[in-house]
Amino acid sequence: MHLRALDTADGPDALALYNELTFGPPSTDLAAYLLVLNHPGTTIIGVEIDDRIRAMVTLHILPNVTWDARPYALIENVITASAYRERGIGKAVMQHAAQVAWDQNAYKIMLLTGEKRGAQDFYRACGFDSEDKTAMVMRRP
């Protein structure tokens, strides 16, 4: 198992994982992957096993005016290939992403998870909690 930042060559593996993650139509848009990959402050971290990316997480580091201008981190698109789940791979990529955020002096790491996915226990096992925050989302009409 090798944890690393993904690059342009990882696009096909990343798209395959995104397609396992989404409930919508399959994504084949390599340009969208490259746009996210090259966005300032964004890193897509993956786990490589047998020369393929088997898990990944998108980590955004965003500046904030409060907390003496320290950044906060936002995690999105957490996915482990279904054949590789229950092996600690997802937790390893989450811990690595957290360490990257702490190394960049983030004062907090946030994520949202849907009720349908049933991933709350996984995120709690990774150190997240929802005791003092309420997540709210506005979607474009």
Side-chain angles (χ1 to χ4, degrees):
M1 177 168 67
H2 177 61
L3 288 150
R4 64 176 176 82
L6 299 191
D7 60 31
T8 55
D10 297 309
D13 284 350
L15 288 177
L17 286 173
Y18 285 126
N19 286 330
E20 280 198 50
L21 176 67
T22 62
F23 295 121
S27 174
T28 58
D29 190 356
L30 189 57
Y33 166 75
L34 296 175
L35 184 68
V36 172
L37 185 71
N38 293 312
H39 189 273
T42 297
T43 306
I44 303 174
I45 299 166
V47 175
E48 184 177 358
I49 300 172
D50 300 328
D51 298 320
R52 300 279 312 272
I53 303 303
R54 306 298 185 172
M56 66 182 185
V57 57
T58 301
L59 176 69
H60 302 282
I61 305 291
L62 304 152
N64 194 346
V65 173
T66 62
W67 289 84
D68 295 324
R70 287 174 61 191
Y72 65 96
L74 176 64
I75 288 180
E76 277 285 323
N77 299 322
V78 178
I79 181 68
T80 299
S82 58
Y84 288 82
R85 293 182 187 154
E86 303 293 328
R87 300 181 189 186
I89 296 165
K91 191 169 184 182
V93 76
M94 289 293 288
Q95 289 170 335
H96 187 78
Q99 190 57 56
V100 170
W102 301 144
D103 289 349
Q104 293 190 36
N105 202 30
Y107 69 94
K108 70 178 175 182
I109 303 170
M110 300 186 304
L111 64 79
L112 294 173
T113 186
E115 294 290 326
K116 289 187 239 179
R117 297 201 186 278
Q120 292 84 359
D121 289 339
F122 168 74
Y123 291 122
R124 285 185 191 96
C126 291
F128 289 85
D129 71 62
S130 58
E131 292 176 14
D132 68 337
K133 297 287 183 179
T134 299
M136 302 180 84
V137 176
M138 178 188 288
R139 299 204 186 268
R140 185 179 178 149

